Amino acid sequence: MSKPASDPAQPPHDGDGADGAAARGADYPEPIAAFVERLAADLTEAGMQRMAARVFACLLASRSGALGSAELSERLHISPAAVSGAVRYLNQMHLVTRERVPGSRREQYRVHADVWYESILNRGSLIVRWLRTFDEGVAALGADTPGGRRLARTQDFLAFLHDELEQMMARWRSLRAEADATPHSPVDAARPGDVRGRDAED
């Protein structure tokens, strides 16, 4: 996938000159750009907003997990306004946080290493809220009515899902703690197609 050439009429971001732009290009080579767009397409297919998916994928693939608006604009060839809207969506989904750049008034946006864990954990809280809502629904419709039985069956499934999720997350915490304490744990071993360990980050 080839990236469009930068518009020479556009001023450099954040006062960077040609050297800064060249450095950013070196930090964001074609294979990473292609991966970012592929992951963004998968996330969009799963229901995430397209621009938010691209920003999230770009952050996830970066070395530090944090980039500023200008860097995201440069890498994804989108406007700062598009970055702002995407970050607002990701922040609401608890996928990205905002932070101040040390020694600067500028903000940068960070995706944390445990973002998937935190995201799934938040879904557990959402399921609990749904269960309470279904309680009200069953009471309103009547447990012996067709609608009440349908809601109760859905409620049973959600309760099962919640219990399994809690157990799964507990197993992951245990596995992660063991991996952190043991160098070269299977959890951290490279898998086919795994880019971890390569110098392929931002």
Side-chain angles (χ1 to χ4, degrees):
M1 182 187 72
S2 61
K3 294 186 290 186
S6 298
D7 183 354
Q10 293 297 322
H13 290 292
D14 282 0
D16 288 343
D19 290 343
R24 280 195 302 275
D27 287 343
Y28 195 60
E30 194 65 27
I32 295 181
F35 162 75
V36 165
E37 296 303 328
R38 172 63 185 273
L39 177 58
D42 290 346
L43 293 171
T44 302
E45 185 70 20
M48 185 180 288
Q49 292 180 3
R50 181 174 179 273
M51 199 60 69
R54 295 184 70 212
V55 168
F56 179 74
C58 191
L59 287 169
L60 199 63
S62 66
R63 182 180 300 277
S64 65
L67 294 169
S69 178
E71 293 168 302
L72 288 164
S73 296
E74 182 76 23
R75 296 181 183 204
L76 298 175
H77 301 281
I78 58 178
S79 69
V83 171
S84 179
V87 167
R88 184 163 51 251
Y89 171 89
L90 293 169
N91 188 254
Q92 290 172 349
M93 297 292 290
H94 306 289
L95 295 174
V96 165
T97 58
R98 298 171 184 261
E99 60 185 33
R100 287 286 184 186
V101 177
S104 170
R105 296 171 60 187
R106 294 188 299 112
E107 281 189 332
Q108 64 181 8
Y109 313 114
R110 180 176 296 279
V111 59
H112 295 279
D114 290 330
V115 61
W116 296 111
Y117 171 85
E118 296 294 340
S119 179
I120 297 299
L121 200 61
N122 287 330
R123 296 301 181 273
S125 300
L126 183 61
I127 291 173
V128 170
R129 189 168 71 185
W130 287 347
L131 285 170
R132 291 169 180 161
T133 300
F134 275 105
D135 269 336
E136 296 178 6
V138 171
L141 293 172
D144 294 328
T145 65
R149 286 192 292 270
R150 187 163 53 248
L151 293 186
R153 183 162 184 154
T154 303
Q155 189 178 36
D156 287 344
F157 170 73
L158 289 174
F160 168 80
L161 185 63
H162 181 263
D163 290 344
E164 290 294 309
L165 182 62
E166 284 194 332
Q167 295 177 45
M168 180 182 69
M169 300 305 268
R171 289 197 302 271
W172 170 251
R173 287 193 296 271
S174 176
L175 186 62
R176 186 68 257 176
E178 180 182 346
D180 289 341
T182 308
H184 310 298
S185 163
V187 174
D188 292 316
R191 300 176 176 87
D194 195 347
V195 298
R196 288 177 299 176
R198 302 178 193 170
D199 187 17
E201 295 178 324
D202 107 289

